[in-house]
Amino acid sequence: MWYIHHVIVQHCPTSHNNNLNHPIITMKPVSAAQRNHILSLLDSGHSGYDISSQTGVSIASISRLCYRHHPYIKKVSGGHPSKLSEQDIHYAI
């Protein structure tokens, strides 16, 4: 099975009457070897950004691979740490 790897945009002239260029979008597939490498990097705890920087595969494609093949990997919640401790939350409830 092939997955979308990344997008290449090329400009080419359209008609003789205007000088506008329209992009042609082509997508390169992710090979099985690349897919396995990406999945192993995900398993070892690398972020999508790190993997994208190393492999050249888009973060969206990496996210898609993770969703399809490793749905058990939890997403990072992000944000900032809670200002309330577990005891404060328990007391408030």
Side-chain angles (χ1 to χ4, degrees):
M1 183 178 292
W2 292 92
Y3 297 97
I4 302 304
H5 172 43
H6 61 276
V7 177
I8 297 174
V9 178
Q10 300 172 342
H11 291 283
C12 65
T14 54
S15 67
H16 328 286
N17 297 337
N18 67 26
N19 293 329
L20 298 176
N21 291 329
H22 293 276
I24 296 175
I25 298 175
T26 58
M27 295 179 217
K28 291 187 174 182
V30 173
S31 69
Q34 279 182 315
R35 182 180 70 240
N36 292 334
H37 180 63
I38 290 168
L39 294 175
S40 70
L41 289 172
L42 284 168
D43 285 336
S44 63
H46 287 81
S47 70
Y49 179 80
D50 290 339
I51 297 170
S52 177
S53 297
Q54 289 179 24
T55 62
V57 177
S58 72
I59 295 172
S61 295
I62 294 166
S63 178
R64 204 174 305 118
L65 284 171
C66 182
Y67 176 76
R68 289 182 184 153
H69 295 281
H70 293 327
Y72 54 85
I73 294 179
K74 294 191 177 199
K75 292 183 181 179
V76 178
S77 63
H80 56 80
S82 176
K83 293 182 179 181
L84 298 176
S85 68
E86 290 293 326
Q87 292 172 343
D88 291 339
I89 293 171
H90 181 70
Y91 179 77
I93 296 176

